[in-house]
Amino acid sequence: MRKKASAWLALALGVGVALSGCSSNSSSSDDAKQGSQKAGEKLEIFSWWTGAGEEDGLKALIKLFQEKYPDIQVENAAVAGGAGTNAKAVLASRMQGNDPPSTFQVHGGAELNEGWVAAGKMEPLNDLYEKEGWMDKFPKALIDMVSKDGNIYSVPVNIHRGNVLWYNKKIFADNGLQPPKTFDEFFQVADKLKAKGITPLALGDKEPWAATHLFENVLLGTLGTENYKKLWTGELSFNDPQVKQAVETFKKMLGYINEDHSSRNWQDAAQLVAEGKAAMYVMGDWVKGYFVNDLKLKVNQDFGYVPVPNTEGKFMVITDTFGLPKGVKNPDDVKKFLAVLGSVEGQDAFNPLKGSIPARIDADPSKYDEYGKQTMQDFKTAELAPSLAHGSAAPEGFVTKVNQAVNIFVTQKDVKTFIDTLASAAAELKK
Amino acid sequence: METVNITPAEKTAYVPSVRKKRKWTADHWLAAAFLAPSVVLIFLFVYGFIGWTGYVSLSNWNSLVPDWSFAGLKNYLYLFHDFRFQADLRNTLVFTVLFIAAVIVLGQLLAILLDQKLRGESLFRNIFFFPMALSFVVTGVVWQWLFNPSTGVNLFLKPLGLDGKWYTDTNILFGFHWGKIEFGIPVAIIAVVVAAVWQMTGFAVAMYLAGLRAIPDEVREAARMDGATEFQLYWKIILPLLRPITVSVIIIMAHISLKIFDLIYAMTGPGANFVTDVPGVYMFETTFRGNYYANGAAIAMVMLLSVAIFIVPYLISSRKGGS
């Protein structure tokens, strides 16, 4: 009998171990949640800001929040990975599993509206906007980017400009060149550089979005803001002759890029310009953060910047925003954080470090460098265009398909196949 | 059970009522009880989720909002007409063949060399086996750096006039057009194969070495007595004796290579023109970036089937061999 009893005891233990092993496997955040319930609900801030500059900005923001609300525990739940590709995967599985973070980084535009809002996962924030008096502090076009059907769903913390042509000042000075303003000028300059044995244009499309980024800039420059926007609502077909013209220009540009583009990411490509191995680079203004913070280069001394050819007066806008997911346990704490994030103080703590400009029109320009001041000025007057590569213009699924088509095009350079693929993928836009 | 017709030959061994009682002693109940949780968990978390994935792959769930309407084979048809997936299948096939062939040939060769009773054998054994201790992600990052066109081994090769493009090369060897893709051996995949072989050969060496040690010395002596040369000895006798090990190595390597993800994700990603893309990477990007859950599930099912093609015949044959 005793033997039997001990066997049953062992069995009970075995089952216990098996079950506990199972539960700790299923989700490590369960443990975190249980821990936090004892010590009051934690405020979990989910983002992909782990790089130099952006991480500093986020920490400054959290520090400011902690000074105001020392009782609220904050957890910085950042997931590493360029342009948030890994973070988005983690976020998707958590949201699908009804385990949302308290607040998370999401690009304003389609990524927010056609993704999480359409899926019914976000709380509207209209009352917060009214309480904080934000309706006239953020530009109307920007509020529209974070709204769907009359409700506002997130708070923009920054603005990045996507249509910037970065160039190496020394190379341009040595060769007596002026930064190009039109595509024709661009190809003239590129030919001269190529003749001298300098790579005219840097590209790093190990992650294909970087090539899509170049393509969307050519589209904006060729089509103009109105027609460019119509592409994403299905009002303008990809079979339009203007699109073909843009694809031809894009194809021609690909003749001037560095050979090893597919082994480089966006930083590696920026490095080519910094080291004087390539002359120009089309990329968003996070490049400035990389140049200044990581490579210790000086604005307008080591590198210069102009709008991408044919896009003067246009502003490819990329905005990082934070929203309130449905089903979080501490919505009031989250709203407190969002209020700090949307305040002048919050924006000015974050943006100078991150290298972006504030989303509010009444922020303090003296806190920003030369580039930031000029971009803030441009932002007030320019036509705003949403970025495709960064999820503002179209749903993620469409962006993934465009990235695939661009990846194939960069090697095959088959204009007809490319346009056909885009046109058939665009069928999804007209929902 | 008791009313089953029994042939006379079996009758002596088959005494139903007695046997049934004897079978389910406390020990048997205990054993069953111990096994039950893992059986339940495996059915739930393995077979249940395979079924779930299969179900999703037949649905229209291609956004953040689940849509369970029945789509038939739409997602599969889309895949097989897709340039990227065709390229993936080509890459998987090329990768699997090259990888397994290289692992087996190198594994046998190194094991035979190690088997020569040389001094410091354990040191060599460890050297060959240590890469196994790394994760594929680490291997991918290291070889990515080694094969980078502007750094790594190319710093030594460039002065010699060799300009290695390695994994950024988009050329396809022996290529001919088939479907939407150019069928052949993508040069870039060879770079990935090198990294994978570097990592996994140690496993094959260990397997073969164990096999070689299990062959009795009498066999070798008898062959030598009959006048066989060393080469004949290995080619005609030892290697055929190692065939069961080769089968095991092929099975294990095949399932690794058919569902490989981490090495390629860390080392090259999809690559230009998808020359190094594999279904695993495509599945990840489709499901978690594009939110095309049904399409992603369809890719996962195709991967499962491709592994099953290797595993199921093996399971059947080993069952037969066992009974």
Side-chain angles (χ1 to χ4, degrees):
Chain A
M1 280 306 282
R2 241 183 81 191
K3 192 181 163 194
K4 212 174 175 182
S6 65
W8 280 108
L9 185 68
L11 172 66
L13 278 173
V15 172
V17 168
L19 288 178
S20 67
C22 151
S23 73
S24 70
N25 267 344
S26 63
S27 155
S28 57
S29 63
D30 278 356
D31 299 345
K33 222 197 271 167
Q34 275 160 14
S36 68
Q37 267 158 359
K38 282 172 214 153
E41 200 65 43
K42 247 185 220 164
L43 185 77
E44 193 186 4
I45 302 163
F46 188 93
S47 73
W48 54 84
W49 286 328
T50 55
E54 52 189 28
E55 191 183 16
D56 299 336
L58 179 63
K59 281 185 176 156
L61 192 62
I62 292 174
K63 193 168 159 245
L64 180 72
F65 176 74
Q66 297 265 264
E67 280 164 14
K68 286 183 191 251
Y69 301 100
D71 298 339
I72 302 175
Q73 256 192 307
V74 177
E75 188 185 336
N76 177 6
V79 175
T85 42
N86 297 334
K88 283 179 191 170
V90 175
L91 180 67
S93 43
R94 284 190 60 177
M95 294 287 273
Q96 298 280 354
N98 288 326
D99 175 32
S102 308
T103 182
F104 63 90
Q105 177 189 8
V106 57
H107 289 130
E111 187 180 316
L112 170 73
N113 300 328
E114 307 307 321
W116 300 119
V117 175
K121 300 274 186 190
M122 304 301 288
E123 296 280 2
L125 295 168
N126 300 36
D127 52 337
L128 182 72
Y129 270 71
E130 267 155 38
K131 192 179 137 212
E132 300 289 331
W134 284 346
M135 293 308 285
D136 55 351
K137 296 295 187 294
F138 291 105
K140 168 107 184 22
L142 197 59
I143 295 186
D144 286 346
M145 277 179 78
V146 295
S147 303
K148 191 177 165 78
D149 305 329
N151 283 325
I152 309 171
Y153 286 98
S154 70
V155 183
V157 59
N158 67 355
I159 300 287
H160 274 299
R161 187 175 196 173
N163 57 325
V164 188
L165 180 81
W166 307 92
Y167 63 96
N168 183 303
K169 278 243 161 184
K170 188 166 177 299
I171 293 180
F172 271 69
D174 288 354
N175 294 286
L177 297 169
Q178 288 296 317
K181 285 197 158 69
T182 63
F183 288 127
D184 289 339
E185 284 179 32
F186 172 85
F187 289 118
Q188 284 165 16
V189 168
D191 280 330
K192 281 182 191 151
L193 288 164
K194 205 174 184 181
K196 293 261 167 83
I198 302 164
T199 304
L201 183 67
L203 177 69
D205 64 339
K206 188 182 174 210
E207 292 168 90
W209 65 262
T212 307
H213 186 105
L214 177 61
F215 176 55
E216 71 179 6
N217 273 292
V218 178
L219 272 178
L220 179 64
T222 313
L223 273 71
T225 316
E226 280 312 303
N227 280 339
Y228 170 85
K229 281 192 195 162
K230 280 182 184 164
L231 272 180
W232 319 124
T233 53
E235 287 170 78
L236 186 76
S237 156
F238 279 93
N239 291 311
D240 193 275
Q242 281 187 304
V243 177
K244 182 154 190 255
Q245 196 196 329
V247 173
E248 294 286 357
T249 308
F250 178 46
K251 180 180 169 180
K252 202 173 165 192
M253 277 187 168
L254 293 174
Y256 293 94
I257 56 173
N258 46 303
E259 234 184 57
D260 60 351
H261 58 93
S262 64
S263 70
R264 289 175 180 268
N265 60 25
W266 72 263
Q267 285 106 327
D268 301 333
Q271 226 167 5
L272 286 176
V273 177
E275 290 168 355
K277 288 180 183 157
M280 296 179 278
Y281 186 33
V282 173
M283 188 41 65
D285 55 10
W286 42 91
V287 165
K288 190 208 72 182
Y290 179 65
F291 278 164
V292 174
N293 297 335
D294 294 63
L295 304 181
K296 310 289 173 211
L297 301 183
K298 291 204 173 61
V299 182
N300 268 335
Q301 201 170 318
D302 299 313
F303 65 92
Y305 49 89
V306 286
V308 169
N310 284 24
T311 66
E312 180 111 50
K314 303 179 179 77
F315 198 112
M316 182 81 77
V317 58
I318 295 143
T319 175
D320 289 303
T321 72
F322 282 82
L324 173 59
K326 275 190 180 150
V328 297
K329 295 204 179 73
N330 47 350
D332 290 334
D333 290 353
V334 179
K335 281 186 180 172
K336 282 177 195 158
F337 176 73
L338 293 179
V340 172
L341 186 104
S343 68
V344 174
E345 214 182 335
Q347 306 236 321
D348 285 343
F350 175 79
N351 286 303
L353 292 169
K354 158 88 166 141
S356 45
I357 64 163
R360 286 177 72 119
I361 42 181
D362 56 348
D364 180 5
S366 67
K367 293 204 165 182
Y368 297 83
D369 65 8
E370 217 175 321
Y371 173 83
K373 279 175 195 151
Q374 196 190 322
T375 308
M376 285 164 81
Q377 199 54 44
D378 287 351
F379 181 63
K380 281 178 190 158
T381 54
E383 301 166 4
L384 301 189
S387 158
L388 173 73
H390 303 281
S392 297
E396 289 284 299
F398 179 76
V399 179
T400 310
K401 285 195 174 169
V402 174
N403 282 339
Q404 277 182 35
V406 168
N407 185 350
I408 296 165
F409 181 74
V410 170
T411 309
Q412 299 189 348
K413 301 199 174 70
D414 183 342
V415 174
K416 190 180 172 300
T417 311
F418 184 44
I419 291 177
D420 287 350
T421 314
L422 292 179
S424 74
E428 293 174 34
L429 292 171
K430 294 170 194 166
K431 269 181 200 165
Chain B
M1 279 296 274
E2 280 82 356
T3 57
V4 169
N5 280 331
I6 301 156
T7 58
E10 279 175 330
K11 216 168 198 166
T12 47
Y14 193 81
V15 193
S17 55
V18 177
R19 189 171 170 179
K20 203 174 172 188
K21 264 182 197 156
R22 227 191 4 215
K23 192 170 183 181
W24 287 96
T25 60
D27 279 348
H28 287 114
W29 279 108
L30 191 62
F34 265 116
L35 288 175
S38 53
V39 168
V40 168
L41 291 176
I42 282 174
F43 264 91
L44 196 64
F45 289 103
V46 177
Y47 298 100
F49 284 157
I50 288 175
W52 166 264
T53 306
Y55 182 57
V56 171
S57 78
L58 298 174
S59 77
N60 279 313
W61 184 13
N62 278 327
S63 70
L64 286 171
V65 191
D67 177 356
W68 299 113
S69 57
F70 185 67
L73 293 175
K74 194 187 86 187
N75 296 308
Y76 292 93
L77 288 175
Y78 168 79
L79 276 185
F80 285 99
H81 285 102
D82 183 25
F83 172 88
R84 182 170 181 179
F85 194 66
Q86 291 187 3
D88 287 357
L89 293 180
R90 170 199 67 202
N91 297 342
T92 306
L93 183 71
V94 171
F95 180 84
T96 306
V97 170
L98 294 180
F99 170 66
I100 294 181
V103 164
I104 286 178
V105 170
L106 271 177
Q108 285 184 346
L109 201 67
L110 290 173
I112 289 170
L113 292 177
L114 269 179
D115 195 37
Q116 304 307 312
K117 315 248 162 24
L118 71 164
R119 214 190 294 172
E121 184 202 307
S122 67
L123 175 70
F124 286 106
R125 231 173 25 205
N126 287 338
I127 288 175
F128 292 132
F129 205 67
F130 265 139
M132 280 278 296
L134 296 177
S135 95
F136 264 132
V137 175
V138 178
T139 310
V141 172
V142 170
W143 281 90
Q144 179 205 26
W145 179 81
L146 283 173
F147 277 161
N148 188 300
S150 50
T151 56
V153 290
N154 294 294
L155 294 179
F156 301 103
L157 293 178
K158 273 209 179 119
L160 301 174
L162 294 168
D163 192 11
K165 278 159 77 188
W166 306 107
Y167 60 81
T168 62
D169 201 322
T170 53
N171 287 319
I172 289 172
L173 300 176
F174 317 114
F176 57 90
H177 277 277
W178 194 47
K180 287 188 176 177
I181 55 154
E182 196 177 355
F183 198 86
I185 303 173
V187 175
I189 212 98
I190 296 173
V192 184
V193 168
V194 169
V197 167
W198 176 84
Q199 165 119 35
M200 296 310 295
T201 297
F203 178 77
V205 172
M207 296 272 283
Y208 280 117
L209 199 57
L212 286 169
R213 294 283 149 84
I215 295 171
D217 275 340
E218 289 79 7
V219 175
R220 296 161 198 258
E221 277 162 23
R224 289 193 186 108
M225 294 281 276
D226 288 343
T229 61
E230 279 304 287
F231 179 78
Q232 281 174 326
L233 168 68
Y234 276 103
W235 189 248
K236 294 234 166 108
I237 296 166
I238 308 265
L239 290 185
L241 282 173
L242 292 176
R243 210 168 278 156
I245 291 177
T246 304
V247 172
S248 307
V249 172
I250 288 177
I251 298 289
I252 290 163
M253 293 303 143
H255 92 262
I256 290 176
S257 90
L258 289 172
K259 60 186 192 195
I260 194 155
F261 167 77
D262 34 11
L263 175 73
I264 288 177
Y265 191 75
M267 189 169 162
T268 61
N273 210 22
F274 299 119
V275 280
T276 59
D277 198 41
V278 289
V281 174
Y282 190 18
M283 196 282 284
F284 177 79
E285 291 189 352
T286 304
T287 313
F288 298 108
R289 286 189 205 165
N291 300 320
Y292 288 110
Y293 290 91
N295 276 341
I299 301 172
M301 291 309 286
V302 174
M303 287 169 70
L304 177 74
L305 288 179
S306 68
V307 175
I309 288 171
F310 273 85
I311 300 291
V312 171
Y314 174 73
L315 290 180
I316 291 170
S317 73
S318 64
R319 243 183 85 99
K320 274 182 191 152
S323 64

